[in-house]
């Protein structure tokens, strides 16, 4: 398929995805009664106001608390677009959009898009609910059209190379070694430094992908700057910002300050401006302009030609001052960006006005396997060459439309690159987990090419005599009648008895542990099981008050690791139906979070109907990792 035809298919799939997301929002927010919205966790109403004020960038914010469903699960996350609404003005359809900066249990901070606090926000009963983020779709559509229409320029060349129609070129250069990197990491750095068009770093779990990227960027900065570094999510972008800054680089984080972790605000343009002595002159000019404007708007009893001319003159003066202030501010911002070693942003955030008209010799895209193809093209439009990093065998991007998925919308540009490009550098040494934990994923996804470093390959838990130090266990609930249950409201499955087995196993493990700092992660592919476990875990383990236990979904555990990981598989039925457990990439993430022990609890009779899990059960037999749940019932 020619490039333009392929991109046209992607554009059509993007439209399907957009229509499906709009439809879901319409059903959820406009056709669902407010009581149901609250129960579904997409709306908090009514709210208590804790405080309000002005954030960096002169945007108003509110800190709000919900008054119903306290402590219950919800679907609000940092970085999401939300709208505040008022019961008092509900017939007028008044709402104010903003972005969640943080959510902590029953509290959240929302920073508004506008620069003024709407008066009605302080009146009557206020609610907050999720909102459709149209900007991302607009930018993705614009990028795809630009890439399709590119002709006789660098973007057109990159399009043909990235889609596999023209071979990528590399410079001839002697390899060098950075002493803190292993051979495969050094080869990755070498490819990045010598790539004329594109380099791809394939980083499986625990192989030091971020370490390698930071090392490569530090070398690149010696010969060019600034470099644009992007990731699909704010959390991934923040992590890169933090690591690059720790590496001694001058990093400027671009993006809506409401979506940036508070600990990194010092690296944002707004944060740097706030500390800049030059900006004081800008503030002084703006204050003076405001003062003159107020003077012009003063009410006068007698108002003739002279007074009218005075008012015009004052308004002209205020306008000129504002213009001068903006020119000075633009100059300062331009200097901040030019002086940076690295500029970081999300993929969509690379359209920020601060860098809108700027091009970069090198654009680095991390976690590219989690990025929808259209969003990946957005920063590429600014690039002379592109560096991809990620793992196509971990979490894929979220696609809501089944039709779009059928049209290949879930296939990322990184996956296309791994399949079509000639040179891909695999990081082959992992530093996270015991070799036995690694081995199943290694065979299933990486053709057995990974190896565990000497430091971790034989890692086991520190336990008293009699404790089970096996790195992997599968606790089989087959024949126990622990059938799954469906929450009709959330359409998500849970399995109480499976948790009770997990609880006994974990209680035994903590009893035998001699490590006071042991960390435990409990993962389930199903949110309803996560909610069920969270409701019980604190009281069930109050006899271990210092235990470090985190319960969450697979997606939330991406990028994390724990000494011990429990995975509750949930599905158990006579039809052998396993739903989205068929997404083996998601399971690869779950299985590779553990450092010293992995415990999977599930029904072998249901799971073994799918080849991936049948292979896992065979693997458990090889390593003597099979246990019957009857031993823990």
């Amino acid at each position: 398929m020619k490039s333009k035809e392929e991109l046209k298919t992607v554009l059509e799939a993007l439209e399907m995805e957009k229509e499906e997301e709009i439809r879901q929002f319409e059903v959820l927010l406009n056709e669902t009664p407010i009581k149901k919205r609250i129960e579904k966790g997409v709306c908090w109403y009514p709210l208590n106001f804790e405080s309000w004020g002005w954030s960096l960038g002169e945007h108003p914010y509110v800190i709000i608390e919900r008054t119903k469903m306290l402590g219950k699960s919800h679907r609000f996350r940092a970085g999401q677009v939300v709208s505040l609404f008022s019961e008092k003005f509900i017939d007028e359809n008044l709402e104010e959009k903003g972005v969640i900066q943080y959510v902590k249990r029953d509290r959240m901070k929302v920073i508004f898009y506008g620069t003024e606090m709407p008066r009605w926000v302080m009146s009557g009963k206020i609610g907050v609910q999720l909102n459709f983020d149209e900007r991302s779709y607009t930018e993705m559509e614009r990028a795809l059209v630009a890439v399709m229409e590119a002709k006789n320029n660098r973007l057109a060349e990159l399009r043909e190379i990235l889609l596999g129609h023209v071979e990528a070129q590399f410079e001839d250069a002697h390899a060098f070694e950075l002493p803190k990197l292993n051979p495969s990491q050094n080869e990755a750095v070498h490819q990045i430094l010598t790539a004329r068009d594109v380099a791809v770093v394939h980083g499986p779990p625990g192989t030091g992908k971020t370490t390698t990227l930071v090392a490569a960027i530090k070398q690149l900065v010696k010969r060019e700057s600034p470099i644009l570094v992007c990731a699909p999510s704010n959390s991934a972008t923040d992590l890169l910002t933090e690591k690059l800054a720790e590496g001694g680089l001058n990093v400027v984080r671009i993006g809506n300050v409401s979506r940036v972790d508070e600990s990194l605000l010092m690296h944002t343009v707004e944060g740097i401006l706030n500390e800049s002595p030059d900006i004081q002159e800008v503030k002084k000019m703006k204050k003076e302009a405001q003062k003159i404007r107020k003077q012009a708007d003063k009410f006068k009893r007698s108002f003739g030609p002279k007074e009218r001319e005075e008012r015009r003159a004052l308004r002209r003066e205020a306008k000129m001052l504002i213009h001068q202030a903006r020119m000075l501010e633009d100059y300062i911002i331009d200097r901040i960006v030019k002086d940076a070693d690295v500029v970081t942003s999300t993929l969509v955030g690379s359209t920020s006005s601060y860098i809108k008209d700027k091009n970069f010799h090198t654009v680095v895209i991390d976690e590219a396997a989690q990025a929808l193809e259209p969003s990946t093209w957005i920063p590429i439009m600014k690039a002379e060459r592109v560096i991809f990093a990620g793992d196509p065998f971990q979490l894929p991007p979220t696609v809501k439309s089944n039709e779009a998925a059928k049209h290949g919308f879930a296939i990322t540009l990184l996956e296309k690159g791994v399949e079509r490009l000639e040179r891909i550098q695999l990081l082959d040494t992992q530093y996270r987990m015991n070799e036995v934990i690694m081995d199943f994923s290694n065979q299933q996804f990486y053709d057995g090419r990974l190896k565990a470093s000497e430091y971790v390959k034989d890692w086991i838990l520190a336990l008293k005599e009699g404790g089970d130090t096996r790195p992997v266990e599968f606790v089989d609930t087959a024949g126990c009648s622990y059938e799954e249950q469906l929450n009709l409201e959330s359409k998500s499955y849970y399995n109480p008895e499976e948790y009770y087995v997990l609880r006994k196993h974990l209680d035994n493990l903590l009893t035998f542990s001699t490590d006071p700092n042991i960390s435990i992660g409990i993962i389930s592919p199903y949110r309803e099981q996560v909610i069920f476990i969270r409701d019980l875990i604190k009281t069930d383990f109050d006899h271990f008050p210092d235990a470090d236990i985190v319960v969450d979904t697979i997606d939330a555990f991406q990028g994390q690791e724990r000494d011990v990981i429990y995975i509750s598989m949930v599905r158990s039925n006579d039809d052998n139906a396993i739903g989205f457990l068929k997404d083996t990439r998601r399971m690869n993430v779950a299985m590779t979070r553990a450092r010293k022990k992995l415990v999977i609890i599930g029904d072998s009779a249901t799971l073994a109907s799918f080849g991936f899990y049948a292979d896992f059960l065979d693997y458990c037999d090889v390593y003597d990792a099979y246990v019957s749940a009857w031993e823990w019932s």
Side-chain angles (χ1 to χ4, degrees):
M1 190 186 293
K2 291 182 180 179
S3 297
K4 291 185 181 179
E5 292 173 1
E6 183 175 349
L7 290 168
K8 187 180 178 183
T9 302
V10 176
L11 185 60
E12 290 168 356
L14 176 63
E15 190 59 33
M16 294 173 195
E17 178 72 1
K18 180 181 178 181
E19 288 174 4
E20 176 60 19
E21 188 164 353
I22 290 172
R23 186 195 68 78
Q24 288 183 16
F25 266 94
E26 285 291 323
V27 170
L28 195 62
L29 302 181
N30 297 335
E31 299 175 23
T32 306
I34 194 165
K35 184 179 177 183
K36 289 288 184 186
R37 279 179 262 162
I38 294 167
E39 290 172 0
K40 286 176 177 286
V42 298
C43 176
W44 289 359
Y45 177 84
L47 298 171
N48 282 333
F49 270 93
E50 184 180 300
S51 61
W52 66 280
W54 302 88
S55 69
L56 286 172
E58 299 179 1
H59 294 282
Y61 72 81
V62 290
I63 296 177
I64 48 185
E65 297 178 305
R66 62 173 163 175
T67 57
K68 293 183 178 178
M69 307 281 289
L70 297 177
K72 296 294 182 183
S73 178
H74 56 76
R75 288 166 59 179
F76 291 105
R77 300 289 181 271
Q80 288 177 324
V81 177
V82 294
S83 59
L84 262 73
F85 61 89
S86 171
E87 182 193 50
K88 187 174 180 180
F89 299 101
I90 206 158
D91 293 333
E92 299 174 39
N93 201 26
L94 277 181
E95 63 175 14
E96 188 71 15
K97 287 188 179 180
V99 176
I100 300 173
Q101 183 170 34
Y102 66 75
V103 183
K104 295 176 181 175
R105 289 185 64 81
D106 300 315
R107 295 167 65 245
M108 75 167 77
K109 180 178 179 179
V110 178
I111 300 181
F112 294 121
Y113 283 139
T115 55
E116 293 185 9
M117 177 73 77
R119 291 181 183 176
W120 60 264
V121 168
M122 302 300 181
S123 307
K125 288 184 177 179
I126 304 296
V128 64
Q129 63 187 18
L130 288 178
N131 212 292
F132 176 62
D133 184 6
E134 192 168 7
R135 178 178 168 247
S136 297
Y137 284 100
T138 302
E139 297 298 345
M140 286 192 283
E141 288 166 4
R142 188 177 294 149
L144 277 176
V145 171
V147 176
M148 287 168 64
E149 294 178 351
K151 191 176 181 181
N152 299 325
N153 60 15
R154 185 54 175 160
L155 181 59
E157 292 172 353
L158 286 174
R159 176 190 66 209
E160 299 307 306
I161 293 165
L162 292 171
L163 294 179
H165 300 292
V166 176
E167 189 176 341
Q169 300 297 309
F170 292 82
E171 296 172 1
D172 291 326
H174 292 295
F176 68 97
E177 289 190 13
L178 296 172
K180 292 185 178 179
L181 300 186
N182 66 44
S184 67
Q185 290 172 330
N186 269 308
E187 180 56 32
V189 173
H190 177 67
Q191 282 198 25
I192 289 170
L193 295 179
T194 57
R196 290 179 182 172
D197 311 299
V198 60
V200 178
V201 178
H202 181 183
T207 54
K209 173 176 62 66
T210 302
T211 300
T212 305
L213 268 188
V214 171
I217 291 167
K218 288 175 76 173
Q219 295 301 314
L220 284 172
V221 164
K222 292 178 181 178
R223 66 188 195 192
E224 62 175 278
S225 67
I227 294 163
L228 179 61
V229 178
C230 299
S233 67
N234 283 286
S235 57
T237 306
D238 286 343
L239 176 63
L240 280 168
T241 303
E242 182 183 351
K243 296 297 182 186
L244 289 164
E246 286 175 358
L249 297 176
N250 177 17
V251 188
V252 175
R253 169 73 158 96
I254 299 287
N256 189 324
V257 290
S258 61
R259 288 180 157 129
V260 178
D261 189 281
E262 286 188 323
S263 66
L264 299 172
L265 289 176
M266 69 186 84
H267 296 294
T268 63
V269 171
E270 292 80 2
I272 297 167
L273 274 176
N274 202 44
E275 298 299 318
S276 168
D278 296 333
I279 205 66
Q280 301 310 315
E281 183 61 28
V282 173
K283 290 180 178 178
K284 186 179 174 183
M285 292 164 77
K286 285 182 177 179
K287 281 182 182 176
E288 183 63 24
Q290 192 175 16
K291 183 180 172 184
I292 293 169
R293 194 181 285 149
K294 279 184 180 177
Q295 192 178 339
D297 292 339
K298 273 185 182 176
F299 174 77
K300 293 183 179 179
R301 283 181 181 276
S302 62
F303 196 79
K306 183 183 176 184
E307 287 78 12
R308 189 173 287 109
E309 184 52 42
E310 269 181 26
R311 176 173 286 184
R312 283 181 186 146
L314 287 168
R315 284 180 174 168
R316 280 197 299 270
E317 188 180 352
K319 190 175 180 181
M320 189 185 301
L321 269 172
I322 287 293
H323 178 66
Q324 290 174 347
R326 283 177 181 161
M327 284 183 64
L328 180 55
E329 190 172 37
D330 288 345
Y331 169 76
I332 296 167
I333 290 169
D334 189 57
R335 195 175 66 197
I336 288 169
V337 172
K338 279 182 178 175
D339 289 346
D341 295 324
V342 181
V343 174
T344 60
S345 77
T346 61
L347 300 170
V348 176
S350 64
T351 61
S352 164
S353 59
Y354 297 146
I355 56 172
K356 190 173 184 179
D357 301 320
K358 288 184 170 50
N359 292 319
F360 298 82
H361 186 264
T362 302
V363 170
V364 178
I365 300 175
D366 192 18
E367 301 296 358
Q370 293 183 48
L372 293 168
E373 181 180 340
S375 66
T376 311
W377 286 110
I378 296 171
I380 292 174
M381 292 194 297
K382 297 176 172 293
E384 286 295 312
R385 64 184 193 136
V386 189
I387 312 301
F388 288 109
D391 182 6
F393 302 119
Q394 293 191 61
L395 286 180
T398 301
V399 175
K400 296 181 173 68
S401 165
N402 291 330
E403 276 303 304
K406 287 176 187 174
H407 281 70
F409 196 57
I411 300 172
T412 65
L413 197 53
L414 176 71
E415 287 177 87
K416 291 181 179 180
V418 168
E419 183 182 327
R420 302 175 190 182
L421 297 174
E422 301 245 343
R423 291 176 65 174
I424 307 296
Q425 180 57 40
L426 176 77
L427 304 181
D428 62 14
T429 306
Q430 69 84 15
Y431 299 89
R432 175 181 297 160
M433 66 201 96
N434 181 290
E435 191 171 36
V436 178
I437 299 172
M438 175 196 76
D439 201 44
F440 179 70
S441 288
N442 190 21
Q443 301 303 325
Q444 288 284 322
F445 298 100
Y446 307 109
D447 299 322
R449 295 170 64 192
L450 299 186
K451 55 192 175 189
S453 77
E454 291 298 319
Y455 179 68
V456 303
K457 65 180 294 186
D458 298 317
W459 256 4
I460 58 172
L461 292 176
L463 301 177
K464 300 170 190 171
E465 189 176 343
D468 192 333
T469 58
R470 284 180 294 179
V472 175
E473 282 185 66
F474 177 73
V475 182
D476 190 2
T477 65
C480 296
S481 299
Y482 295 167
E483 292 201 356
E484 68 196 41
Q485 298 182 37
L486 177 66
N487 183 316
L488 295 175
E489 194 66 48
S490 66
K491 305 298 183 187
S492 180
Y493 290 94
Y494 65 109
N495 193 321
E497 287 85 1
E498 202 169 275
Y499 164 64
Y500 300 142
V501 170
L502 186 157
R503 181 178 64 184
K504 287 190 176 183
H505 192 288
L506 175 55
D507 187 88
N508 181 74
L509 185 145
L510 289 173
T511 300
F512 275 92
S513 175
T514 60
D515 181 359
N517 299 313
I518 188 172
S519 58
I520 313 288
I522 300 175
I523 302 177
S524 180
Y526 290 92
R527 179 164 289 281
E528 200 60 39
Q529 182 76 339
V530 169
I531 294 168
F532 180 81
I533 294 173
R534 277 182 180 164
D535 284 345
L536 297 173
I537 198 80
K538 282 191 176 180
T539 52
D540 284 352
F541 286 89
D542 56 7
H543 54 301
F544 292 106
D546 298 324
D548 177 9
I549 304 173
V550 176
V551 185
D552 222 322
T553 60
I554 295 172
D555 293 42
F557 262 95
Q558 169 82 341
Q560 296 190 51
E561 56 188 69
R562 293 289 187 276
D563 293 323
V564 183
I565 288 289
Y566 284 86
I567 306 176
S568 174
M569 301 296 286
V570 175
R571 300 308 298 268
S572 177
N573 55 73
D574 294 334
D575 299 324
N576 295 334
I578 64 170
F580 73 92
L581 292 185
K582 290 178 182 177
D583 186 348
T584 57
R585 290 181 295 180
R586 188 166 259 102
M587 285 310 301
N588 185 35
V589 172
M591 291 175 166
T592 54
R593 300 305 97 194
R595 290 191 282 253
K596 300 176 181 178
K597 191 174 185 72
L598 171 67
V599 183
I600 298 179
I601 302 171
D603 182 346
S604 64
T606 300
L607 296 174
S609 62
F610 191 63
F612 176 83
Y613 298 107
D615 290 346
F616 176 70
L617 292 169
D618 291 341
Y619 156 85
C620 289
D621 283 339
V622 170
Y623 284 105
D624 189 29
Y626 179 89
V627 180
S628 172
W630 287 110
E631 296 181 31
W632 299 99
S633 63

